[in-house]
Amino acid sequence: TNADTAQILETSISGHASACTRIHALYAYFTLGYSARKVGRVLKKAPATVTGWIRQFKRGNHTQNRSNRPVSRKFGSEKRQWLVNFFKMKPVSYLEEAQAAYRQRFLENISISSVWRIIYENGLRWKVLVLQHVIL
């Protein structure tokens, strides 16, 4: 049904595997009746990983994933705002460029995924940044 498909899509958005991989795994398990082991073999994922996606889907815990946690605990508001401003001033910068500038400014490390999460949490998406650059 459309409701099931919507839930599968929502579940697939979070996590380290691509959304497409998670969608295929859930579809193969629930619709085609494949075992978690077979799904894992076909998608080159550990059966425990596939089982985790299935368990997460069944619990209705579709968007709760460690990669979606706010990064505010580790990086204070001043540092997060600095990154947001960096991308507002240089909208077509690579994440690695922001990472290097952050390291130089604050003399501490930050992962690429944390840079991405901070700008994402602040509503900055690639399309938004590119459109801002084109309009400027």
Side-chain angles (χ1 to χ4, degrees):
T1 67
N2 286 341
D4 293 335
T5 303
Q7 285 182 332
I8 289 172
L9 288 172
E10 185 180 342
T11 300
S12 69
I13 291 170
S14 61
H16 296 289
S18 73
C20 194
T21 300
R22 291 171 65 106
I23 288 170
H24 283 108
L26 293 170
Y27 179 81
Y29 180 82
F30 287 107
T31 306
L32 301 178
Y34 285 17
S35 68
R37 172 172 271 167
K38 185 172 183 178
V39 171
R41 194 171 348 120
V42 169
L43 297 176
K44 299 191 183 331
K45 296 291 180 186
T49 299
V50 175
T51 302
W53 295 339
I54 293 164
R55 192 176 322 114
Q56 180 184 19
F57 179 77
K58 285 180 177 178
R59 280 194 314 245
N61 198 9
H62 307 304
T63 57
Q64 297 301 313
N65 197 313
R66 66 186 156 166
S67 65
N68 287 338
R69 289 183 196 145
V71 290
S72 58
R73 290 185 199 130
K74 185 171 181 179
F75 305 102
S77 61
E78 175 195 353
K79 293 173 182 178
R80 290 191 321 273
Q81 189 57 51
W82 184 88
L83 274 169
V84 170
N85 291 339
F86 178 88
F87 278 98
K88 286 183 177 179
M89 296 295 291
K90 301 175 181 183
V92 291
S93 297
Y94 290 101
L95 295 173
E96 292 83 0
E97 291 173 305
Q99 178 188 40
Y102 180 94
R103 284 180 180 157
Q104 184 176 6
R105 169 76 168 84
F106 295 106
L107 302 175
E108 68 180 36
N109 288 329
I110 186 168
S111 68
I112 295 294
S113 61
S114 292
V115 171
W116 180 85
R117 245 180 276 142
I118 289 168
I119 64 171
Y120 188 85
E121 287 171 2
N122 284 276
L124 299 178
R125 310 293 189 270
W126 183 81
K127 285 184 179 180
V128 171
L129 292 168
V130 169
L131 286 174
Q132 286 176 352
H133 178 71
V134 170
I135 292 171
L136 296 175

